[in-house]
Amino acid sequence: MLGFWYSKSPQFAKDHKDFWRARLIAHFLLFSTAYFFILTVLNVFYFEQLDLALIDCLGLVISLTIYFWFYKSGNVNVTAWAVTLMASSLAILFIISVGGNPFSILWATLIPPIAFFLIGRKRGSIISAIAFSICAYLIYTQQQQTINNNHRVRIII
């Protein structure tokens, strides 16, 4: 069954410079397609959270679109950027949609390994810095709200 998925992606010899990048792209797209499909179904039918289901469905559609484009074009560099931007954008979108809760910030830790390996250290650092800046801002706003609420309670008491 998995042979179909991998046979359609561009094939490179093991000594080719893009062999491992193409493998990571194929693995990531397989994982993200399955992951987003399961999350979409769970969020629609079990949790009844249609806003999160919409994000997951978007991830599913984007994953499949990138996969089929990768299959047709075989362009590793453009696909590496597409996968990195998809993973980063969807992780940040999820983190923002749940208000930067502590459990959601963990998703940002997936961005650097994907970005560094697929698009390089310099560009991966920029993508990671943007993602972590957004997370830091969300954490800062949460702390400000907590501090403001604590001051209100002290004033009332």
Side-chain angles (χ1 to χ4, degrees):
M1 182 174 130
L2 292 179
F4 169 77
W5 185 267
Y6 294 114
S7 68
K8 300 298 180 187
S9 65
Q11 301 296 317
F12 296 102
K14 279 198 174 189
D15 59 344
H16 191 274
K17 67 180 179 91
D18 286 333
F19 175 78
W20 291 111
R21 286 175 59 195
R23 293 293 266 195
L24 178 62
I25 289 169
H27 285 67
F28 182 84
L29 291 173
L30 173 64
F31 175 77
S32 66
T33 300
Y35 178 77
F36 285 126
F37 176 76
I38 292 168
L39 281 182
T40 300
V41 171
L42 283 174
N43 281 325
V44 168
F45 297 110
Y46 185 72
F47 296 116
E48 297 178 2
Q49 291 185 330
L50 297 181
D51 54 340
L52 292 179
L54 184 62
I55 293 172
D56 296 329
C57 186
L58 179 66
L60 174 64
V61 169
I62 292 171
S63 294
L64 288 173
T65 302
I66 293 172
Y67 173 75
F68 287 117
W69 187 85
F70 187 45
Y71 163 65
K72 293 286 186 194
S73 73
N75 191 333
V76 175
N77 290 328
V78 173
T79 308
W81 269 101
V83 167
T84 302
L85 292 176
M86 177 197 71
S88 303
S89 300
L90 290 173
I92 294 301
L93 184 61
F94 173 71
I95 291 167
I96 290 171
S97 71
V98 296
N101 291 332
F103 70 88
S104 68
I105 301 294
L106 292 175
W107 285 104
T109 61
L110 293 177
I111 296 170
I114 292 168
F116 286 15
F117 188 73
L118 289 180
I119 62 174
R121 188 181 68 216
K122 287 182 183 178
R123 293 179 181 123
S125 295
I126 293 169
I127 297 290
S128 299
I130 292 168
F132 286 128
S133 296
I134 293 169
C135 291
Y137 174 75
L138 288 170
I139 291 169
Y140 174 77
T141 57
Q142 279 186 350
Q143 286 180 344
Q144 294 297 22
Q145 291 172 354
T146 304
I147 290 170
N148 290 340
N149 289 338
N150 287 342
H151 288 296
R152 287 183 196 130
V153 169
R154 287 183 190 149
I155 292 171
I156 293 171
I157 295 177

